DNA sequence: TATGAATGAGCTTTCATTCAT
DNA sequence: AATGAATGAAAGCTCATTCAT
């Protein structure tokens, strides 16, 4: 009854310049570039970010960048896919520990929001990806939504979720809710020092879960034929 | 019982260069620039769009641009605010004609989706606005969400909506759903000729409305204390 | 009996950026760029030359360059074709004033050498054009050689040149002689101050003409059937 | 009566890094680098060629290059000088087998063209050498021309060549003819499959030799005073 | 009001060379 | 003797903005 997504892809570990697999040192350099890119993209956005800013932040030479990535777009895509993998992993981990359907949902969103708070780049960068790499954008959303969708279908099968709901439409609805509520209450809100909250405020979270629970809960007469 | 937003701001009608109000001819030029900007931003995105492309599309000279807008960012902000006003107007118009609460919701979303289909720029441009003009981005969302929120509060007052729901959180949830479902089923889907659907497929729309109705519907025992 | 080449092409006078014909001012700017390019290419060669060096020399802004030429290669090609036109014009002018066949040849080479001395760029730049723009290289040589070839054929028809000679091969031979003798005695030789001679030393010129005259002169028994 | 050049220089056989003489293995690596450089320079030209391309073609590591050559320019110079030596060797070999003066000339040009056909790098690379290494360029031409010049002077002494001709000017004329006719009829012409001819077409060669023979042949009254 | 030639900061990318292994 | 990851100077090019007309 888990709606945790499954994660399959491995990390890219081949040099685009030589085509050879990366050495241990190379792997570390690549990782530092990705981390620097995450920070710079998150702070400045894709277009304001520059290779120089990324390499400076990573503490490596400008030319070195091109030993690991073909282009700015290429590291962007790698980063999105990397973050996508990790957010799904984070969600899956929390969901797997859950007992009931509602607990799993709650856990999934908790994982999503926790990840968003720690990696605002994912949210920020994805929202401007439409013209940078539409395919990557689609992959990112689709992979997360697919997880929701499968979980919903499974929950419907055992009667935990209103059978009249379409799993795909519902999954995209949940994704949209998570994204905009994350944006509004996690990334926009600032305290006196201008710092974003470390995690989603519990009351917001509870209200959102109430909304979702209302939406998904099977109606009393729903158990019979799935249609009122 | 209407959740239609109210619209207050007027069109910008002062030349940033001279500070004097625009003549009739000037007003027309400004409008052509905004229309060209909408098309170019929608097709190419903010960063790929260039002033030259916009002025060429508008059929006016490059230098003329700066008689009407201070900068590229400035026309971007004007465009977002202009579209925001128009989408809220479109939503309000449809909602005002509605009878019941559910009808109003349905009408509001229908208006939103219709506008999105006709003005993909709104969606596309907003999603990359975070780093271009965060304040404008906030205004755009807030104005729409405020409308939802007031409508929800009013509906709760008369018992049409589950009183336990927080209007603000719920409103952002609805906004997120609308945005992502619009993106997924209106802007991504293409027919054989690569054309986007002219409007939201009716079954997607119905499933979304079912989800929303589930979520908002007052529970039977909800009239007593607002808590189950 | 003239071997002067005919010149047909007009100067490019359309902006590559806008596609519109150049204004008078634009024409002047373009000319300054070409002159600067000639100087920089001649001094530094194609690859060492840079757009910045060219625009600095021309006294215009870097960006302006791209209003007149698409790329570095583009100005290179324009320059070669421009110089080609002018060298053929210079040769034709001198040749038209000549009386006899020998005088015309002498005048043609004189024009060629004079132009080479004044425009070393032509020689220098053409010699490295093989990988920059092979088509332009071919055009340059072919246009000059075609002139020789036609002149030779005409002179053979009236018996002024040995009829056994193939006009094409002979024309290429003359071109090669002119180029290498120009290089050796015009561009390599330097006086005490390191300055190249202003014109071809007269004795070198005379010896070359003797060689050519020997080569072309009809043999005594050649007048009868063109074959010994 | 031979106009074959004499060859004196030996192969470079000292490591620029250590200053010690090359081992047998080192000698082989150096040779592979030169061969790779010849191919890459011929195909791509000096500036498009890169050390990486050369070392990859040679099948050795990038860093190894600098054990054998100081710089890109250095291998270029070595290559030009190496090819120069070999082309003169090829010419000399054919000329030594010749009987008459005319045969020797013919043989020399035949050797030159054969070498050009087999080693287009010589022609291609030399023509862009002006700005890469002018001194090397001068050496290359001078060494070949010197051979011609000495041969011409010797032939004049025995009355085989018109005594009025200046050996130096004539030698440069011959060099120029050979170069441009080689370029035109050997390197430019392509068959249906885009392949260059394996050797100079015999009719072109014969016409060129006729031209040369005309030019050099002593006039009947030439034996008396060297001036008509 | 309208124009478009001119500008230059700033971008992404390449590649000869170094050096620790 | 051999390697290839790392470097950064310098290149070609774009485009928002200015300003003289």
């Amino acid at each position: 009854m888990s709606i945790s997504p499954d994660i399959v892809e491995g990390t890219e570990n081949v040099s685009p310049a030589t085509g050879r697999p990366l050495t241990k040192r190379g792997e570390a350099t690549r990782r530092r570039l990705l981390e620097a890119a995450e920070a710079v993209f998150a702070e400045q956005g894709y277009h304001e970010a520059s290779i120089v800013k990324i390499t400076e932040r990573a503490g490596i030479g400008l030319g070195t960048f091109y030993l690991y990535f073909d282009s700015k777009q290429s590291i962007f895509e790698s980063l999105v896919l990397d973050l996508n993998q990790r957010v799904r992993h984070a969600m899956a981990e929390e969901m797997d520990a859950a007992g009931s359907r509602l607990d799993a949902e709650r856990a999934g969103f908790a994982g999503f929001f926790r990840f968003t708070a720690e990696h605002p780049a994912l949210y920020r960068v994805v929202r401007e990806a439409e013209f940078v790499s539409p395919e990557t954008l689609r992959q990112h959303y689709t992979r997360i939504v697919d997880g929701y969708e499968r979980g919903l279908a499974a929950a419907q099968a055992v009667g935990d979720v209103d059978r009249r709901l379409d799993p795909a439409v519902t999954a995209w609805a949940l994704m949209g809710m998570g994204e905009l509520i994350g944006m509004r209450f996690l990334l926009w809100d600032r305290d006196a020092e201008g710092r974003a909250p470390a995690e989603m405020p519990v009351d917001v979270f509870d209200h959102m879960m109430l909304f979702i629970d209302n939406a998904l809960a099977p109606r009393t007469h729903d158990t019979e034929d799935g249609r009122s």
Side-chain angles (χ1 to χ4, degrees), chain A residues 32-111:
Chain A
R32 278 165 70 199
L33 277 169
L34 275 176
E35 275 161 17
E38 182 183 336
V40 176
F41 282 145
E43 278 167 24
Q44 325 223 14
Y46 180 80
H47 290 96
E48 281 306 300
S50 72
I51 311 288
V52 177
K53 285 174 187 165
I54 293 173
T55 52
E56 270 176 0
R57 182 133 190 172
I60 63 164
L62 166 59
T64 309
F65 176 90
Y66 291 91
L67 296 178
Y68 296 94
F69 298 97
D70 282 330
S71 61
K72 187 180 170 182
Q73 170 159 337
S74 154
I75 195 176
F76 174 83
E77 292 174 355
S78 296
L79 177 64
V80 171
L81 262 19
D82 185 58
L83 288 172
N84 175 270
Q85 211 169 127
R86 288 156 69 197
V87 71
R88 286 185 292 129
H89 190 75
M91 292 169 75
E93 258 190 351
E94 308 228 15
M95 291 164 90
D96 288 346
S100 70
R101 191 244 332 145
L102 183 58
D103 278 359
E105 256 156 43
R106 171 177 283 270
F109 275 102

Side-chain angles (χ1 to χ4, degrees), chain A residues 5 16 36 44-45 52 107 125-127 131 155 173 184 192 203 227:
Chain A
Q44 325 223 14
V52 177
V125 126
V126 155
R127 285 184 62 91
F131 298 98
R184 173 61 188 80
D203 59 326
R227 199 74 185 87

Side-chain angles (χ1 to χ4, degrees), chain A residues 175-220:
Chain A
M175 177 84 237
M177 290 173 45
E179 187 169 281
L180 233 59
I181 286 179
M183 174 182 96
R184 173 61 188 80
F185 298 100
L186 209 39
L187 301 175
W188 283 12
D189 279 344
R190 302 279 149 169
D191 64 17
E193 282 89 40
R195 302 164 69 97
E199 57 177 23
M200 180 63 69
V202 66
D203 59 326
V204 173
F205 189 82
D206 285 343
H207 278 112
M208 189 189 80
M209 291 310 302
L210 172 61
F211 179 92
I212 294 174
D213 208 39
N214 270 355
L216 301 186
R219 304 282 120 174
T220 44

Side-chain angles (χ1 to χ4, degrees), chain A residues 12-31:
Chain A
E12 205 63 78
N13 53 3
V14 174
S15 159
T18 65
R20 263 185 295 253
L22 258 37
T23 64
K24 202 153 196 170
R25 186 185 177 194
E27 198 73 68
T29 306
R30 196 187 121 96
R31 176 58 41 198

Side-chain angles (χ1 to χ4, degrees), chain A residues 118-224:
Chain A
E118 280 164 15
H119 301 277
L122 180 57
Y123 155 80
R124 291 208 151 104
V125 126
V126 155
R127 285 184 62 91
E128 57 175 351
E130 180 85 41
F131 298 98
V132 175
S133 179
E135 188 46 41
T136 306
L137 175 77
R138 278 158 180 66
Q139 278 183 37
H140 165 67
Y141 279 122
T142 305
R143 286 180 183 176
I144 296 181
V145 168
D146 277 357
Y148 283 143
E149 196 175 333
R150 276 200 294 274
L152 286 166
Q156 283 178 318
V158 298
D160 277 352
V161 162
D162 186 340
R163 287 185 168 128
R164 297 167 306 164
L165 293 167
D166 179 73
V169 173
T170 307
W172 283 96
L174 293 175
M175 177 84 237
M177 290 173 45
E179 187 169 281
L180 233 59
I181 286 179
M183 174 182 96
R184 173 61 188 80
F185 298 100
L186 209 39
L187 301 175
W188 283 12
D189 279 344
R190 302 279 149 169
D191 64 17
E193 282 89 40
R195 302 164 69 97
E199 57 177 23
M200 180 63 69
V202 66
D203 59 326
V204 173
F205 189 82
D206 285 343
H207 278 112
M208 189 189 80
M209 291 310 302
L210 172 61
F211 179 92
I212 294 174
D213 208 39
N214 270 355
L216 301 186
R219 304 282 120 174
T220 44
H221 49 297
D222 183 46
T223 46
E224 294 163 28

